[in-house]
Amino acid sequence: MNYKPLVALVSGLLAAQPALAEKYDDLTATVNLIQIVGTIDPAKVSDYTEYMMAVNLYDGLTTADTTGKIQPLLAKSWDVSSDGKTFTFHLREDAKFQNGDEVKASDVVYSVQRLLTINQGVSGFFKPFLAADGVSAVDKHTVKFALKQPSSAFLAMTPLLFVIDQSVALEHGNEGSKWSEDYLSSHSLGTGPYSLGEWQRGSRLVLERNHDYFAGFPQNPLEKVRLLITKDESTIKALANKGELDLSSTYQASETLAAIDKIPGYHIQNLGTATGYYIKFNNQLAPTDDVNIRKAIALSIDYDLANTELHPGESMAGPLASLFKDAFLDGLEAPHLDLAKAAEYVKKSKYAGQKIPLTLGYVAGSAYEEEIALMMQANLQSIGFDVKLQADPWSRVTEIAAKPETTPNVNQIFFGPTYSSPLSVFYNQYSSKSAGSWASMSWLNDKQVDEWIDQASTELDADKRNAIYKKLQKYIVDNQVDAFLQTTRYRQAVNDCLSDMKFVPIQSFYYDFSKYNWLCRPNRK
């Protein structure tokens, strides 16, 4: 029997088939963080690493796109009453927790009541509008929120209502509490795209893909994500040299990024954001309790040097980023260095004629924050200040922010919107109701500002609400509550085989790893 025609036929058929797609499920993506993860309890998250955990381990009722527009997630749709006080959410029937349990309205009720009762994390955003008994299950897949007063930003906040599997949480309640705080501090009970595979506190975490995730993944998803906690610049460069770094922190030194940019297989992504880099002034502590001193310090900052060399970014004239275009106040003058004018403001202050002690705080181990602090120290000492630098680890920064007397005169703080509304920028940083957090180290405590923020939070007319936001911007700038260094551009080293970050104007939602994918197989050495 002649086999040649058969062999030729089979070979031809195989050649006609498309090549088998390469699989990447053996790969682990490595990402570095510069600060520890304190908790993964979704009711207690408060900074960028903790929000990063929440958005990967859990889901909220909604999410947001890159413009900040609210999109369905666990809720497929919702209805809002004309008075802005009743929100009804209709849940997806196919959403499941990572153990396979169905997501029910009772899980949402439990999660929201837990958040409001524990009274940490994002609870402060909701408590002016929502009581624990204001959320109820209409039926198995319908949840109703009855607010105490209208809220202009409630819908924008709903991505932060991370939903917990109630039945499993109750199994792990301790000491008569049904909130299972001990268990949820180190275990995840969410629907999210990733589960917690490993956690060596203070050094690394590993996230593992939830293959049954109801919202799905792109082609070639990240099977595992290894999060290394290090701010050592030499370690980051060494990882890149071995081809093991896939996404760097956005807080690396410019020198580190420049070095990695020269390594084949890497590029530096330069991404516009709504995150501000603020020079925070403690408005209650001498000498920064004097507006003339605050103006003098603001004029002693070399903004061009900071924004072009030390930490490249875009000039920022006030507290709100231009991404919020309808609420953004055009016409504010961009800040600039002017030591002669700064000296004039010192003479106008109640501290004139004396050596003025001043403490500049920054995050220990951050090379560019130290360089900015040193630049400010040199300029301020030339006009009569006695400047002390205070470097603290981030965990210490959050502690000393709790009281005005322990908060340094000047602090360097990055703040991006926690939810996609200008209200987040003003409420978190400048409302006296938010005092005592790292975001509110200005210690403003101003009745007029509080009144405007409260008005904006309940004003349902967009034009009137935006007019209030513009008044807030002018007032904060005129009174030099803070100095505004830049609207930050996120610059990070990215492996050419990994998709780039897409910015979302909600804290760390741009680190939702289910939105990343492999473009090719990275060259590990």
Side-chain angles (χ1 to χ4, degrees), residues 363-384:
V363 176
S366 172
Y368 61 82
E369 287 199 19
E370 182 178 13
E371 290 173 332
I372 289 171
L374 287 167
M375 172 265 288
M376 292 178 64
Q377 181 185 46
N379 289 345
L380 288 165
Q381 288 185 164
S382 74
I383 58 172

Side-chain angles (χ1 to χ4, degrees), residues 328-467:
F328 181 72
L329 179 60
D330 287 314
L332 292 173
E333 182 182 355
H336 59 279
L337 173 66
D338 190 334
L339 289 175
K341 193 170 182 180
E344 292 177 9
Y345 276 114
V346 172
K347 291 178 182 178
K348 293 179 182 179
S349 77
K350 62 185 178 183
Y351 301 103
Q354 56 183 294
K355 200 74 170 178
I356 305 172
L358 192 73
T359 303
L360 303 186
Y362 66 95
V363 176
S366 172
Y368 61 82
E369 287 199 19
E370 182 178 13
E371 290 173 332
I372 289 171
L374 287 167
M375 172 265 288
M376 292 178 64
Q377 181 185 46
N379 289 345
L380 288 165
Q381 288 185 164
S382 74
I383 58 172
F385 287 89
D386 180 16
V387 181
K388 171 189 173 185
L389 301 187
Q390 179 175 318
D392 289 300
W394 179 249
S395 58
R396 176 63 178 159
V397 172
T398 61
E399 291 175 8
I400 63 178
K403 298 178 181 178
E405 56 267 26
T406 57
T407 302
N409 295 112
V410 182
N411 300 275
Q412 298 181 46
I413 294 293
F414 289 90
F415 182 83
T418 313
Y419 48 90
S420 58
S421 166
L423 185 64
S424 170
V425 175
F426 295 109
Y427 181 88
N428 289 26
Q429 295 188 90
Y430 301 115
S431 171
S432 60
K433 296 174 184 175
S434 296
S437 76
W438 60 266
S440 60
M441 294 176 85
S442 311
W443 288 102
L444 181 55
N445 195 25
D446 186 299
K447 290 183 179 179
Q448 178 62 80
V449 169
D450 285 347
E451 181 180 331
W452 281 335
I453 292 173
D454 288 345
Q455 288 174 359
S457 70
T458 59
E459 179 54 69
L460 301 182
D461 183 282
D463 290 337
K464 292 179 180 178
R465 187 168 64 249
N466 288 330

